[in-house]
Amino acid sequence: MKPNLKILYKTPDLDEMAKKHQDFDGLMDSLATTKAGKRNRLQRFGSFVLVIAVTAFLSWLYWGYEPAGAELPVETRELSASAKSEEQSLAADTVVEKTEKPVTEVKPEPVSPANQQADQPLPDTKTEQASNTSQKSETDSNDLALPEVKESKYEFVSAEPAQGLENLYEYLYGRIHLPDSLLDQQSSLFFEVSFTVSAVGSVNNVGFSKDFPVKIDSALTQVFEQMPTWQAARENEQPVSSEVKLPITFQKKN
Amino acid sequence: MNLSEKEYRYLGAREEKEVERAKRDSKDFRPLYERYYGKIFGFLYKRVADEDLAADLASQTFLNALLNLKKYEFRGLSFSAWLYRIAFNLSTDYFRQSKKERVFYMEPERSSELLTEVIEESEEAEVLLMRELKLPSAFEALSAKELSLVELRYFEELPYTEIAYVMNMSEGNARTKMHRILKKMKMLIESNETQSENTL
């Protein structure tokens, strides 16, 4: 599909324009707003689900739930049974059949394990002591375990040129000149230069690979030692010295 | 400035660490934002020629990048390729919805570089100049996709690997298409010349 095209020739100063609109804090604000919007939608959905669930639970309680007699203590059950008989006697003049029905007998139920535990006699002092010591040892082990949970986090950020890698290469290619004869046979040559970036960002211990094509002298070493500043590597946010291996490629012009 | 493949990978590996940091804390996205805002803004401005609209689209590009940063996977390409892809899709959507005029900035130094690819090197200076004047008509004859390919290659100077990623095609396909576009442009310029000669 052919676009509706308008060709322009003179580009305005885009860098200046971009600087005017560059606003990282604004971006963070819009990110927070977008995330909050998403969260709100989730919250609204969550609260809707909660309301439905609570309504369903309450209606189940109201319409469908009947407390089981077995769960009530015996005295309460007896009381409720007598209340029921009273209720039935009150309604005797209206419903005759009801009075004929016998009041259900409350039989003592077999003791449940929970009740059994409650009915058990108190443990003697020896067993109490033993349980105390076991509890104590448990709490001791808890006391010992808690402070050990701390995780040690290791983070390493490697050294990097303060003004960016592209600027660094621009600086280096502007100062290192390779004899044209070396590039006659190959279109490009690749070498490595190693050096140490100290904790304060200074460069030293410059080393060249054995096959480095340019004559290695103090001037060449100076090119590297005086290169744009580096940001030192950081180990757990503390600046440390580190060795850097920088790849350099010479390419044939055209 | 064009980086060699090794330097490019070295830069990519460093960026991967920066992206990992930004995934943990969005405040660490700042270096990537500051490094690429200008490029993305420029790319969008050259497509829409409207400062405020380009700024809006650029902000949307970075916001989308931040919102989807956890999905980003390092594939040996510069992080900018991902940003270009988001910006490219956003601007394409904008043109589709608004049906506004697509703008193409023909920067003189870049278009002369393109011209050397389109015509033979042995041509005389006068012929070169004549043909440069006919470039706009050749651009007008290209489709939206073809124009975007030329734009990314000669005006944004992206490598073919990134162009392929931005336009969602294979690298081989991108190269073949570019070859065909240059051939097409050459034919268009030459046919334009013969037409003008006949009229004279």
Side-chain angles (χ1 to χ4, degrees):
Chain A
M1 200 183 101
K2 278 182 190 172
N4 186 9
L5 193 67
K6 181 182 172 186
I7 296 179
L8 298 175
Y9 295 90
K10 202 181 168 191
T11 328
D13 189 355
L14 290 174
D15 290 338
E16 198 61 41
M17 259 189 216
K19 269 180 200 165
K20 208 168 85 185
H21 292 285
Q22 197 170 328
D23 178 15
F24 185 72
D25 297 328
L27 179 72
M28 286 291 110
D29 289 344
S30 19
L31 179 72
T33 320
T34 318
K35 279 186 176 173
K38 270 187 182 177
R39 229 182 356 253
N40 280 348
R41 279 200 294 277
L42 262 174
Q43 274 173 354
R44 275 203 295 272
F45 179 71
S47 52
F48 174 72
V49 170
L50 191 73
V51 166
I52 296 282
V54 168
T55 318
F57 178 69
L58 288 175
S59 53
W60 175 73
L61 269 183
Y62 187 75
W63 300 108
Y65 177 72
E66 278 182 19
E71 285 171 14
L72 293 168
V74 178
E75 286 169 20
T76 330
R77 269 183 277 151
E78 278 169 356
L79 272 172
S80 65
S82 62
K84 225 176 185 179
S85 65
E86 268 176 31
E87 204 179 282
Q88 279 167 351
S89 64
L90 276 170
D93 49 349
T94 48
V95 187
V96 183
E97 281 174 19
K98 271 192 177 177
T99 48
E100 287 164 4
K101 280 184 183 175
V103 177
T104 47
E105 195 184 351
V106 182
K107 286 179 183 173
E109 283 194 33
V111 184
S112 67
N115 290 341
Q116 207 173 14
Q117 255 187 359
D119 293 343
Q120 271 176 358
L122 285 169
D124 60 1
T125 44
K126 273 185 183 176
T127 49
E128 201 173 12
Q129 270 178 357
S131 67
N132 279 348
T133 47
S134 69
Q135 269 182 353
K136 202 178 178 185
S137 64
E138 210 172 280
T139 47
D140 281 353
S141 63
N142 281 342
D143 287 347
L144 283 170
L146 275 170
E148 295 300 316
V149 185
K150 274 187 182 177
E151 276 180 33
S152 56
K153 199 177 172 187
Y154 179 78
E155 200 178 6
F156 184 81
V157 181
S158 49
E160 50 194 18
Q163 290 161 10
L165 207 62
E166 286 192 29
N167 273 332
L168 177 73
Y169 278 120
E170 213 163 336
Y171 163 87
L172 291 175
Y173 290 136
R175 281 158 185 82
I176 307 169
H177 301 289
L178 193 72
D180 289 340
S181 57
L182 279 168
L183 280 169
D184 281 348
Q185 290 173 346
Q186 298 173 61
S187 60
S188 67
L189 287 166
F190 171 73
F191 302 97
E192 263 187 354
V193 179
S194 62
F195 49 85
T196 308
V197 177
S198 71
V200 289
S202 62
V203 173
N204 46 48
N205 295 338
V206 183
F208 300 91
S209 53
K210 279 178 191 171
D211 48 356
F212 198 77
V214 183
K215 192 187 166 195
I216 301 163
D217 53 13
S218 58
L220 183 67
T221 315
Q222 261 186 7
V223 169
F224 284 92
E225 282 174 348
Q226 289 171 2
M227 69 181 144
T229 49
W230 280 69
Q231 276 179 358
R234 289 185 298 282
E235 198 176 46
N236 289 339
E237 296 181 357
Q238 292 297 315
V240 289
S241 70
S242 64
E243 200 190 351
V244 175
K245 279 188 178 174
L246 190 70
I248 295 181
T249 309
F250 293 100
Q251 281 179 322
K252 201 180 215 176
K253 283 175 190 170
N254 301 322
Chain B
M1 185 187 163
N2 285 329
L3 297 177
S4 77
E5 200 182 331
K6 287 217 173 188
E7 289 160 359
Y8 186 74
R9 276 192 205 146
Y10 184 69
L11 188 69
R14 276 178 168 275
E15 276 186 347
E16 192 189 358
K17 285 180 191 170
E18 285 176 336
V19 172
E20 285 308 317
R21 280 203 291 273
K23 275 182 186 177
R24 287 196 288 271
D25 184 359
S26 47
K27 278 175 190 162
D28 285 335
F29 189 69
R30 189 185 281 271
L32 291 162
Y33 176 82
E34 283 173 355
R35 190 176 308 148
Y36 292 121
Y37 185 86
K39 270 188 180 181
I40 297 299
F41 176 85
F43 170 67
L44 288 164
Y45 183 85
K46 281 185 243 167
R47 301 192 118 214
V48 296
D50 180 334
E51 191 180 334
D52 292 331
L53 179 61
D56 278 353
L57 288 171
S59 303
Q60 193 58 47
T61 301
F62 283 96
L63 185 63
N64 283 4
L66 261 173
L67 287 169
N68 296 295
L69 198 62
K70 293 221 160 91
K71 292 181 200 162
Y72 174 78
E73 282 174 20
F74 179 67
R75 297 180 189 188
L77 295 173
S78 164
F79 183 69
S80 63
W82 195 54
L83 294 173
Y84 268 112
R85 186 172 166 141
I86 299 171
F88 179 80
N89 289 337
L90 272 176
S91 58
T92 310
D93 284 348
Y94 167 75
F95 286 119
R96 197 183 295 138
Q97 283 162 15
S98 66
K99 292 185 179 166
K100 282 204 173 173
E101 223 170 19
R102 161 89 154 81
V103 180
F104 188 85
Y105 267 99
M106 244 184 75
E107 291 156 287
E109 65 271 26
R110 303 265 191 269
S111 50
S112 58
E113 199 181 307
L114 170 65
L115 203 67
T116 51
E117 297 262 351
V118 176
I119 55 164
E120 277 87 30
E121 286 176 8
S122 55
E123 299 282 8
E124 287 173 16
E126 276 180 29
V127 181
L128 277 174
L129 188 71
M130 283 294 286
R131 287 187 170 180
E132 193 162 356
L133 291 173
K134 275 156 193 161
L135 260 182
S137 59
F139 283 135
E140 278 166 2
L142 297 180
S143 71
K145 211 170 184 179
E146 289 171 335
L147 204 63
S148 298
L149 260 167
V150 173
E151 195 176 35
L152 289 171
R153 178 68 189 152
Y154 292 97
F155 294 86
E156 292 300 319
E157 294 183 304
L158 295 192
Y160 277 110
T161 43
E162 285 192 12
I163 293 172
Y165 179 69
V166 171
M167 296 194 68
N168 200 16
M169 57 171 80
S170 70
E171 190 187 338
N173 197 3
R175 282 179 189 276
T176 317
K177 278 196 171 161
M178 184 54 77
H179 179 73
R180 284 186 194 147
I181 293 166
L182 294 178
K183 215 171 168 182
K184 185 177 171 182
M185 285 180 77
K186 188 182 175 184
M187 275 173 65
L188 283 165
I189 289 171
E190 281 172 358
S191 68
N192 207 334
E193 271 176 8
T194 37
Q195 270 178 11
S196 54
E197 272 169 22
N198 288 341
T199 47
L200 282 170

